[in-house]
Amino acid sequence: MDEIKISINGNEIKCRPDSTVFNVCKQQEIEIPSLCYHPELSITGACRLCLVDIEGKGITTSCTEFVREGMKVVTSTKDVINARKVILNLLLSDHPYDCMTCEKSGDCLLEKYAYEYGIKKSIYKDYHKYQKSQIQIKEKDGTPFVIRDYEKCILCGRCGKVCEEVVGAKALAVGYRGVNSQVISGLDGPLKNTDCVFCGNCIEVCPVGALREIQAEKKGRTWEFKKVYSVCPYCGAGCSTEVFVKDNKIVKISGMENGPSNRGWLCVKGKFAFDYVSSPDRLKKPLLKNKKSEFEEIEWDTALNIIFENFSELKKKYGPDSITGLGSARAPNEENYLFQKFFRQIIKTNNVDHCARLCHSATVAGLYHSLGTAGMSISLDELENISDCILVTGTNPTEAQPITSYRIEKAVRRGAKLIVIDPRRTKLADKADIYIQPKPGTDVILYNAIAKIILDENLHNEKFIKERVEGFEEYKKFMETFSLKEAERVTGVPTENLRKVALIYTSATSAAILWALGITEYVCGTHNVLTLANLALITGQIGKPGAGPAPLRGQNNVQGACDMGALYDFYPGYQRPDAPETIKKFESLWGETGLSMKTGLSVLESFGAAYEGKIKGMYIMGGDFLVTCPDTNYLAKALENLEFFVVQDIFLTETAQYADLILPAACSYEKEGTFTNTERRVQPAFKCVEPPGEAKADWEILTLLANKFGYKWDYKNVWDITKEINKCIPSYAGITPQRLFKGERLQWPCPDEKHPGTPTLHVGSFKIGKGKLSCLPYQEPYELPSPQYPYVLTTGRILSEYHLRSMTGRTDGIKEITGEPFCFINPKDAEKLKIEEGGHLEISTKRGKLVLSAKISPDIQENIVYLPLHFGANILTHRRIDPIAKIPEYKFCACNIKKSE
Amino acid sequence: MDEKIILKYTDIPEQKNIDTYIKNGGYKALQRALSEYKPDEIIHLVDKSGLRGRGGAGFPTGKKWSFIPQNIPLPKYLVCNTDEGEPGTFKDREIIEGDPHLVIEGIAISSYAIGAHKAYIYIRGEFAKGAEILTRAINQAKEKGFIGENILGLGFDFDIDVYRGAGAYICGEETALLDSIEGKRAMPRLKPPHPVAKGLYSSPTVINNVETLANVPRIIENSAEWFAGIGTPHSTGTKIFCISGDVNNPGVYEVPMGTPLKELLEMAGGIKDGKKLKAFFPGGPSTPILTSAHLNVGMDFESLKKIGSMLGSGAIIVLDEDRSIIKTVARLTEFYRNESCGKCSPCREGTDWLLKVYQRIIDNKGKKEDIDLLLNICEDIYGTTFCPLGDAATMPVISSIKYFRKEYEEYINGKCSNINN
């Protein structure tokens, strides 16, 4: 776009012709007051405070005025200042003068401008008794998080805009007319009766004190808070947060305005679910199980000695491979790195894995095989701004990764086509150009069918295939025998609809494919991922900004924990343990000899081995595997079999109940470290509060322990470990502590200190040379419905909760909005079983039973039960795993349901 | 010229029926337009006639139509603005209730001219009868083949929907009206883009007033030159004036543009009870007030502009010598204060404060400084609001103080004679 020249205060300035005067002034750091402008929202033009003088036009609002060649702008003449004062006088005329008790004071834009423009009292204030307008104050109108105090509202409209344009919830909007205008929810009822998702972004954008956090009420004044940069501890979006701390307590959390993945926004969990940090249930001292099976407090030194003694003995008795360690996708990179190092260097086993095995291991395996790099191909910015087709399958970002759903919402508003393919009709389906509802567990055949249509109709990209793909001839041959008719029968989706998908996908310039556990958590999970990679490869929808496979990761450091090699089959940076060069490299880096080349055991294999008595010792660093792994009853028996079991966690979890020794860990707000989000972006988090009691950061515990084993680990702080990571992992080489401290938020690969990071993967070539196509036959789910168990049970997440609720469940508001544990069933099934909304039903599988309340929803297909995993779902699920990625099939098992009295 | 153009047949009750309308020459213009003219030729014809918008702003109609981009793959829409909300205005109601087919024919021809296949009549919610009459007329026109696919066998597909508003003055503002049709809360949109570029459902849209569109068939029937010959050189054709207030025969009067107020007052039977004229709004309260000194000014766009007022919607509100200016303007201010959409601060807050000052004066608690305070508030509102509603609200205040400052002072001093009127 050609730049044009305008003059601001006599200075000639070059700018893009699509900018507003306000934006150009902002870029020039000329401050213009505004209450309604927000960089992430569309132009409102409501407050009329951003007045400037434009030659030939007079005093005009700068946010609504687009630049023109030769335009002459003066930003602060006497008239302009006076006109701004007039607006402030009007706004202050019915605004309460209670800054001395207002929670927003110090951070209130109206207060700031009144100060700057010297307005002590509105000139209209004397007329207050003639006030006829009635302003209602809706304090605590039934929502557990938001105070709506409309006496302070200046009707800038930001809250409604963020609700509509960013979140897509449309729960808040301006109602009534004229001076009686007021922000209302729904038909002016309580927020909880609307589509409000309690993300709190309305609070984030409110320039005054009209919308506030209930949690922060009376907890201190703005200037008393220490503000610390952190990363949200929940999903993989990796939202940058600003944590407000007073007296070693978190008062509130805001999104960082320039956060690269979240652009200032948060969701209900990131914004409000932090009460767990200061919960009285936090572990404060090491606990040892005594002979009466009770836990008693012991000193740290004793605890570390016990671990040293027990692991040493087990190692001597049964060999190093009798011990296994499980890291955590919510611990920082440094700690996962150290954890796997502890097991590989000190225990000398590759038996180390973590919870990514249970969610995206199929993605890692599939993408590593087909493309050579296992990560999101693009950045979230590209998704929002560049992708013109977004295929969303097996993921419900609206609830599981809300920040990404905001990005999709914006992309759709920009005009991007949206394809949603999911057995459960998700919220995004309402906004999709086409929604496909296949039968669950039929992804391989469904995506093969789309590929078949693409090939049949010559929609594939021959040039791309020729240059960058291998195995096409074989693939084409395999597809020749593929029957679309059979696909239609198996998936239940008319071929015609898949043809539409193929057309939309192939006619895009940059098409992204987003997925999560609805694709991976099957016994054919890796194959599912490979079919998606195939689609991108045959169409060339990869290797350019905004295009390519884009797995949405479920935990804030699941990408990082994988990168760090907390995996039984990979050293840090996906270097194979059975490759001699890997062993040589790490022996030299760690100054060690005799590292094991034997592939270790995955999460479920470890528990299986424990069940069979082959694994004797286990060390879990953060993770409630008893309830997050399938088939809880089996797991319990496996844990009982262990000779020595250590759990390091922030709470006495259900898994920890089985431990011999429990170590109290600091949570992510209590320590430093880096997290790698779903778009491969590495972000640091800093310490906000002190850990409770004697709890310690995982890296400190591991360092102390290593020294007990006689190793000289001398990390003085987390950043020493980061520096070691820079040396071990080529794609992290340039992501140094110095650059992180300077504010750089780089996406790997970043091979050296000058490298700017890589937003788009696979440009020009793949890490493995050419992309590999795979010929994949359809495989049925493991446990199909039977006369005794005629329904299909599938699991997933809901917005307000996270995993087994050990964190979210400790915030009262979250408990309130979640309510009683529930599952979803189709109205027809409800009718058949005479189950009413809210009535109780019993779900049973071969493995266990669960009683919950029923939510009846046509979004769920007939004969399917959708059970949020948060409610102890794994008492029901089965243990069969994908043979390649070792991921369990959480998404499909046979069950029966009946009305429960 | 005695002959009426628009209100020619509105006195005939049966004119509402399509057969009578056709008998009186109706739908011939449509037939002619579709068969004899290309769309751009109609735009040219209307441009040549000098027809200007009758909704208030007086923008040249042909010119507006010519702004519709023709080379983009988006549908085009025509919207007939029947949200006649300006106080004292009731001409559009007269047209739609008395001769609905004339409006439909005008819409059809205009749609053809701009390439729209779909038109909306946005009618204010209070016009229940009008909506019913229009809907019936549209159905009749559909039966006769004047609306539908391939109308009159001339290859033009065209449909009209009647969309009823819900009683907000702001919906008369064209972009707020579009929001209302789209099912949103009516709030003015940021311009540019103007509706001709990005209007209804983000597509090119022309919004015309009822009276404007009703003139179109007449221009086709007669000629652009014939139309341009009526009225003044820059305000061509006739204008329907709605005379209300203190006159003997309030009602609608269609006269050539430029007719002096004096003549119109005579047509309306003069001032009630033989009193004298004190003041009048020439085009609704959104136009600056004028006084008996302006009786001979021609009622057209230029002449009124020259003396600092506007033709507006043609709603002449007449005040006799006993009327209280303060109470009249206070009542109008209350109207604007209630009808401000609430979006921008100066209009929302400013109109409320104007009313509060008026209430204080009326409560006999006014201060001398209040007159300047009123002017100050108006100055603060004028030019800073998002849409013209705020500007309009200042018109009666500023102009009444300009001509009747003495009365304001007397009122505040407790010496006003017509305090109760």
Side-chain angles (χ1 to χ4, degrees), chain A residues 790-803:
Chain A
Y791 292 86
V792 173
L793 176 74
T794 188
T795 63
R797 284 184 183 173
I798 60 167
L799 175 66
S800 54
E801 294 291 356
Y802 195 77
H803 288 187

Side-chain angles (χ1 to χ4, degrees), chain A residues 97-385:
Chain A
Y97 284 51
D98 61 354
C99 302
M100 55 292 278
T101 54
C102 181
E103 296 285 343
K104 190 78 175 180
S105 184
D107 189 30
C108 169
L109 278 183
L110 191 60
E111 184 188 52
K112 170 181 147 84
Y113 295 141
Y115 173 80
E116 286 174 4
Y117 287 79
I119 299 171
K120 264 190 177 173
K121 196 169 100 175
S122 170
I123 54 168
Y124 301 109
K125 205 69 183 176
D126 281 347
Y127 292 73
H128 208 270
K129 60 181 171 172
Y130 284 91
Q131 179 110 3
K132 276 201 170 168
S133 48
Q134 287 148 9
I135 288 162
Q136 296 162 350
I137 300 163
K138 294 182 173 135
E139 284 204 39
K140 294 200 183 186
D141 67 344
T143 84
F145 300 117
V146 190
I147 291 183
R148 297 195 285 153
D149 181 353
Y150 288 145
E151 207 184 356
K152 295 188 195 307
C153 177
I154 52 158
L155 289 162
C156 66
R158 283 185 186 184
C159 54
K161 283 211 159 178
V162 75
C163 198
E164 179 178 351
E165 293 176 8
V166 177
V167 181
K170 297 187 188 176
L172 286 179
V174 177
Y176 305 107
R177 210 183 297 169
V179 74
N180 295 320
S181 296
Q182 207 182 106
V183 176
I184 59 168
S185 53
L187 292 172
D188 203 5
L191 254 183
K192 62 177 178 184
N193 293 353
T194 67
D195 286 340
C196 176
V197 291
F198 305 104
C199 61
N201 290 319
C202 50
I203 302 177
E204 299 286 318
V205 296
C206 182
V208 294
L211 295 167
R212 306 191 299 269
E213 297 92 348
I214 286 179
Q215 283 162 307
E217 206 71 354
K218 302 221 158 54
K219 296 270 170 66
R221 314 304 304 273
T222 323
W223 51 88
E224 296 175 307
F225 302 142
K226 180 176 83 174
K227 293 177 200 168
V228 188
Y229 182 100
S230 190
V231 175
C232 175
Y234 293 104
C235 82
C239 296
S240 307
T241 53
E242 193 168 26
V243 182
F244 294 75
V245 179
K246 192 190 162 192
D247 302 336
N248 200 38
K249 264 202 158 180
I250 298 175
V251 175
K252 63 175 177 176
I253 294 176
S254 286
M256 281 295 281
E257 216 169 277
N258 54 1
S261 70
N262 58 320
R263 300 240 154 266
W265 313 126
L266 290 176
C267 77
V268 60
K269 296 187 283 282
K271 172 93 184 139
F272 298 116
F274 58 83
D275 288 358
Y276 72 90
V277 178
S278 56
S279 161
D281 304 340
R282 284 290 300 277
L283 294 170
K284 297 176 190 79
K285 239 185 137 85
L287 299 172
L288 181 71
K289 196 178 264 171
N290 62 20
K291 287 191 180 117
K292 285 187 274 173
S293 279
E294 287 162 352
F295 286 109
E296 57 185 45
E297 291 187 351
I298 55 169
E299 294 308 317
W300 267 104
D301 198 52
T302 319
L304 297 172
N305 278 330
I306 292 171
I307 298 173
F308 168 64
E309 282 157 17
N310 278 281
F311 279 166
S312 299
E313 201 189 313
L314 289 177
K315 215 173 133 182
K316 210 158 54 186
K317 234 159 105 184
Y318 307 107
D321 289 335
S322 66
I323 304 169
T324 194
L326 299 175
S328 171
R330 265 177 290 157
N333 287 326
E334 290 73 14
E335 293 176 344
N336 275 296
Y337 171 80
L338 225 50
F339 189 74
Q340 63 85 32
K341 184 177 173 181
F342 177 81
F343 274 82
R344 290 192 161 118
Q345 186 190 14
I346 297 172
I347 306 286
K348 296 233 167 32
T349 177
N350 283 314
N351 284 351
V352 60
D353 207 7
H354 76 286
C355 41
R357 186 66 49 204
L358 311 174
C359 62
H360 262 300
S361 56
T363 297
V364 174
L367 294 186
Y368 185 79
H369 172 79
S370 57
L371 312 173
T373 314
M376 190 163 170
S377 309
I378 53 170
S379 67
L380 291 172
D381 275 347
E382 289 172 19
L383 185 70
E384 177 179 326
N385 300 317

Side-chain angles (χ1 to χ4, degrees), chain B residues 227-238 256-258:
Chain B
F227 190 84
I230 306 167
T232 71
H234 294 290
S235 300
T236 58
T238 61
M257 283 278 193

Side-chain angles (χ1 to χ4, degrees), chain A residues 725-900:
Chain A
I725 293 169
N726 296 150
K727 284 188 205 139
C728 295
I729 307 179
S731 58
Y732 276 70
I735 308 175
T736 60
Q738 289 85 335
R739 292 182 82 180
L740 292 165
F741 296 157
K742 265 196 292 176
E744 289 187 78
R745 302 290 177 258
L746 302 153
Q747 286 175 277
W748 66 254
C750 178
D752 60 68
E753 285 196 45
K754 297 257 159 56
H755 195 280
T758 312
T760 320
L761 286 182
H762 318 301
V763 179
S765 70
F766 296 104
K767 205 177 169 189
I768 46 167
K770 287 192 168 188
K772 284 195 191 105
L773 286 173
S774 314
C775 305
L776 306 156
Y778 170 56
Q779 183 190 347
E780 285 185 330
Y782 169 68
E783 190 181 77
L784 294 172
S786 60
Q788 203 186 344
Y789 296 104
Y791 292 86
V792 173
L793 176 74
T794 188
T795 63
R797 284 184 183 173
I798 60 167
L799 175 66
S800 54
E801 294 291 356
Y802 195 77
H803 288 187
L804 272 295
R805 300 199 280 174
S806 60
M807 286 155 73
T808 47
R810 288 182 160 89
T811 296
D812 288 344
I814 295 278
K815 276 191 270 185
E816 196 182 322
I817 59 175
T818 303
E820 192 186 358
F822 57 86
C823 64
F824 290 100
I825 53 170
N826 181 279
K828 282 188 187 152
D829 292 329
E831 202 187 318
K832 210 158 54 193
L833 299 166
K834 300 199 167 42
I835 295 169
E836 282 169 13
E837 176 81 16
H840 287 87
L841 60 78
E842 181 192 280
I843 312 176
S844 56
T845 67
K846 283 181 189 165
R847 294 153 295 276
K849 280 180 195 168
L850 207 56
V851 175
L852 314 102
S853 83
K855 286 197 187 222
I856 299 164
S857 163
D859 297 341
I860 312 297
Q861 296 180 49
E862 214 179 329
N863 296 322
I864 294 180
V865 182
Y866 180 88
L867 173 59
L869 64 95
H870 323 290
F871 307 132
N874 290 320
I875 205 128
L876 305 169
T877 48
H878 70 71
R879 280 177 287 119
R880 184 53 72 107
I881 55 177
D882 173 309
I884 307 165
K886 316 283 163 89
I887 190 168
E889 194 167 57
Y890 289 111
K891 294 294 177 192
F892 199 110
C893 74
C895 76
N896 192 19
I897 48 173
K898 63 175 192 196
K899 194 171 175 172
S900 169

Side-chain angles (χ1 to χ4, degrees), chain A residues 367-430:
Chain A
L367 294 186
Y368 185 79
H369 172 79
S370 57
L371 312 173
T373 314
M376 190 163 170
S377 309
I378 53 170
S379 67
L380 291 172
D381 275 347
E382 289 172 19
L383 185 70
E384 177 179 326
N385 300 317
I386 299 173
S387 307
D388 55 350
C389 169
I390 301 173
L391 194 167
V392 178
T393 179
T395 178
N396 181 13
T398 313
E399 304 206 46
Q401 201 175 97
I403 291 302
T404 303
S405 78
Y406 305 165
R407 299 292 196 128
I408 298 170
E409 176 77 31
K410 278 204 159 183
V412 170
R413 291 179 82 86
R414 166 171 59 80
K417 297 266 187 250
L418 179 63
I419 304 167
V420 175
I421 303 181
D422 206 300
R424 175 185 175 211
R425 192 185 165 95
T426 56
K427 269 255 156 145
L428 275 184
D430 296 344

